[in-house]
Short mmCIF file of all heavy atoms in Angstrom, two decimals:
data_model
loop_
_atom_site.label_atom_id
_atom_site.label_comp_id
_atom_site.label_asym_id
_atom_site.label_seq_id
_atom_site.Cartn_x
_atom_site.Cartn_y
_atom_site.Cartn_z
N ASP A 823 103.87 105.85 119.76
CA ASP A 823 104.65 105.78 118.56
C ASP A 823 105.43 107.08 118.43
O ASP A 823 105.09 107.93 117.61
CB ASP A 823 103.67 105.58 117.38
CG ASP A 823 104.39 105.33 116.06
OD1 ASP A 823 105.62 105.08 116.05
OD2 ASP A 823 103.71 105.28 115.00
N PRO A 824 106.41 107.24 119.31
CA PRO A 824 107.00 108.61 119.45
C PRO A 824 107.81 109.13 118.30
O PRO A 824 108.13 110.33 118.28
CB PRO A 824 107.88 108.39 120.71
CG PRO A 824 108.22 106.94 120.72
CD PRO A 824 107.00 106.26 120.14
N LEU A 825 108.21 108.33 117.34
CA LEU A 825 108.97 108.80 116.21
C LEU A 825 108.08 109.39 115.10
O LEU A 825 108.56 110.09 114.24
CB LEU A 825 109.82 107.69 115.63
CG LEU A 825 110.96 107.20 116.53
CD1 LEU A 825 111.60 105.97 115.96
CD2 LEU A 825 112.00 108.28 116.80
N ALA A 826 106.81 109.05 115.17
CA ALA A 826 105.91 109.43 114.06
C ALA A 826 104.91 110.44 114.46
O ALA A 826 104.55 110.59 115.61
CB ALA A 826 105.22 108.19 113.52
N MET A 827 104.38 111.16 113.43
CA MET A 827 103.22 112.01 113.61
C MET A 827 102.24 111.62 112.49
O MET A 827 102.63 110.88 111.58
CB MET A 827 103.56 113.45 113.54
CG MET A 827 104.16 113.88 112.21
SD MET A 827 103.81 115.60 111.80
CE MET A 827 102.03 115.69 111.69
N ARG A 828 101.00 112.01 112.62
CA ARG A 828 100.01 111.65 111.61
C ARG A 828 99.18 112.90 111.22
O ARG A 828 98.95 113.80 112.04
CB ARG A 828 99.07 110.58 112.16
CG ARG A 828 99.80 109.24 112.28
CD ARG A 828 98.96 108.25 113.06
NE ARG A 828 99.65 106.92 113.00
CZ ARG A 828 100.80 106.63 113.57
NH1 ARG A 828 101.44 107.53 114.31
NH2 ARG A 828 101.31 105.43 113.47
N ILE A 829 98.79 112.89 110.00
CA ILE A 829 97.84 113.87 109.50
C ILE A 829 96.67 113.10 109.04
O ILE A 829 96.75 112.19 108.20
CB ILE A 829 98.36 114.76 108.37
CG1 ILE A 829 99.54 115.54 108.85
CG2 ILE A 829 97.27 115.70 107.84
CD1 ILE A 829 100.21 116.42 107.78
N VAL A 830 95.43 113.39 109.61
CA VAL A 830 94.21 112.71 109.25
C VAL A 830 93.40 113.60 108.36
O VAL A 830 92.97 114.69 108.73
CB VAL A 830 93.42 112.34 110.54
CG1 VAL A 830 92.17 111.57 110.18
CG2 VAL A 830 94.28 111.59 111.52
N PHE A 831 93.17 113.12 107.14
CA PHE A 831 92.35 113.83 106.16
C PHE A 831 90.95 113.28 106.17
O PHE A 831 90.75 112.04 106.25
CB PHE A 831 92.96 113.68 104.75
CG PHE A 831 94.27 114.41 104.56
CD1 PHE A 831 95.48 113.81 104.86
CD2 PHE A 831 94.25 115.72 104.13
CE1 PHE A 831 96.65 114.52 104.68
CE2 PHE A 831 95.46 116.41 103.95
CZ PHE A 831 96.66 115.80 104.21
N PRO A 832 89.92 114.12 106.01
CA PRO A 832 88.55 113.61 106.02
C PRO A 832 88.22 112.80 104.82
O PRO A 832 88.81 112.96 103.73
CB PRO A 832 87.72 114.91 106.11
CG PRO A 832 88.58 115.94 105.43
CD PRO A 832 90.00 115.59 105.81
N ALA A 833 87.18 112.00 104.95
CA ALA A 833 86.73 111.13 103.86
C ALA A 833 86.35 111.90 102.65
O ALA A 833 86.48 111.44 101.53
CB ALA A 833 85.56 110.23 104.34
N ALA A 834 85.86 113.12 102.82
CA ALA A 834 85.35 113.95 101.72
C ALA A 834 86.45 114.25 100.65
O ALA A 834 86.10 114.55 99.47
CB ALA A 834 84.77 115.24 102.22
N VAL A 835 87.72 114.14 101.02
CA VAL A 835 88.78 114.46 100.05
C VAL A 835 89.50 113.23 99.53
O VAL A 835 90.49 113.32 98.79
CB VAL A 835 89.77 115.49 100.58
CG1 VAL A 835 89.08 116.80 100.91
CG2 VAL A 835 90.51 114.95 101.81
N SER A 836 89.08 112.01 99.95
CA SER A 836 89.75 110.81 99.51
C SER A 836 89.13 110.26 98.25
O SER A 836 87.97 110.57 97.89
CB SER A 836 89.75 109.80 100.60
OG SER A 836 88.50 109.20 100.71
N LEU A 837 89.90 109.42 97.57
CA LEU A 837 89.38 108.81 96.35
C LEU A 837 88.37 107.73 96.58
O LEU A 837 87.50 107.48 95.77
CB LEU A 837 90.58 108.20 95.55
CG LEU A 837 91.61 109.21 95.03
CD1 LEU A 837 92.79 108.48 94.39
CD2 LEU A 837 90.96 110.19 94.06
N ASP A 838 88.44 107.07 97.77
CA ASP A 838 87.51 105.96 98.06
C ASP A 838 86.46 106.30 99.14
O ASP A 838 85.74 105.42 99.61
CB ASP A 838 88.31 104.72 98.46
CG ASP A 838 89.12 104.90 99.75
OD1 ASP A 838 89.01 105.99 100.38
OD2 ASP A 838 89.84 103.96 100.11
N GLY A 839 86.35 107.60 99.48
CA GLY A 839 85.38 107.97 100.47
C GLY A 839 85.60 107.58 101.92
O GLY A 839 84.74 107.58 102.74
N ARG A 840 86.89 107.24 102.23
CA ARG A 840 87.25 106.92 103.57
C ARG A 840 88.32 107.89 104.08
O ARG A 840 89.08 108.45 103.30
CB ARG A 840 87.85 105.50 103.67
CG ARG A 840 86.80 104.44 103.38
CD ARG A 840 87.32 103.07 103.68
NE ARG A 840 88.21 102.67 102.55
CZ ARG A 840 88.73 101.50 102.42
NH1 ARG A 840 88.52 100.55 103.29
NH2 ARG A 840 89.51 101.21 101.40
N GLU A 841 88.35 108.05 105.39
CA GLU A 841 89.38 108.88 105.98
C GLU A 841 90.78 108.40 105.61
O GLU A 841 91.01 107.20 105.47
CB GLU A 841 89.21 108.78 107.56
CG GLU A 841 90.12 109.56 108.38
CD GLU A 841 89.82 109.39 109.86
OE1 GLU A 841 90.40 108.44 110.45
OE2 GLU A 841 89.05 110.20 110.36
N VAL A 842 91.67 109.33 105.34
CA VAL A 842 93.03 109.00 104.97
C VAL A 842 93.99 109.46 106.06
O VAL A 842 93.92 110.63 106.47
CB VAL A 842 93.40 109.72 103.61
CG1 VAL A 842 94.86 109.42 103.29
CG2 VAL A 842 92.48 109.20 102.54
N VAL A 843 94.89 108.57 106.49
CA VAL A 843 95.85 108.92 107.54
C VAL A 843 97.25 108.76 106.94
O VAL A 843 97.60 107.68 106.48
CB VAL A 843 95.70 108.06 108.74
CG1 VAL A 843 96.76 108.44 109.85
CG2 VAL A 843 94.28 108.15 109.35
N TRP A 844 98.03 109.87 106.93
CA TRP A 844 99.44 109.79 106.54
C TRP A 844 100.31 109.83 107.80
O TRP A 844 100.17 110.77 108.61
CB TRP A 844 99.81 110.96 105.63
CG TRP A 844 99.40 110.69 104.17
CD1 TRP A 844 98.23 110.95 103.60
CD2 TRP A 844 100.22 110.09 103.21
NE1 TRP A 844 98.23 110.58 102.29
CE2 TRP A 844 99.50 110.01 102.02
CE3 TRP A 844 101.53 109.57 103.20
CZ2 TRP A 844 99.95 109.49 100.86
CZ3 TRP A 844 102.03 109.05 102.05
CH2 TRP A 844 101.27 109.01 100.87
N ALA A 845 101.19 108.86 107.97
CA ALA A 845 102.11 108.84 109.10
C ALA A 845 103.49 109.02 108.54
O ALA A 845 103.83 108.49 107.49
CB ALA A 845 102.04 107.52 109.83
N PHE A 846 104.28 109.85 109.23
CA PHE A 846 105.70 110.08 108.80
C PHE A 846 106.44 110.65 109.99
O PHE A 846 105.87 110.93 111.06
CB PHE A 846 105.74 111.07 107.60
CG PHE A 846 105.07 112.36 107.81
CD1 PHE A 846 105.75 113.48 108.20
CD2 PHE A 846 103.70 112.50 107.52
CE1 PHE A 846 105.14 114.71 108.37
CE2 PHE A 846 103.06 113.74 107.69
CZ PHE A 846 103.79 114.80 108.13
N ALA A 847 107.74 110.69 109.83
CA ALA A 847 108.62 111.04 110.95
C ALA A 847 108.37 112.47 111.44
O ALA A 847 108.27 113.40 110.65
CB ALA A 847 110.10 110.92 110.51
#
């Protein structure tokens, strides 16, 4: 997926207790 990068946030900082992944250009 060469146009995008991701930042993976740990479950401890999410509202629902799951890992959060933000993808953007």
Side-chain angles (χ1 to χ4, degrees):
D823 188 7
L825 293 171
M827 63 151 297
R828 289 168 173 70
I829 299 180
V830 182
F831 290 89
V835 298
S836 75
L837 295 174
D838 62 5
R840 291 189 285 188
E841 182 179 87
V842 175
V843 180
W844 276 90
F846 55 95

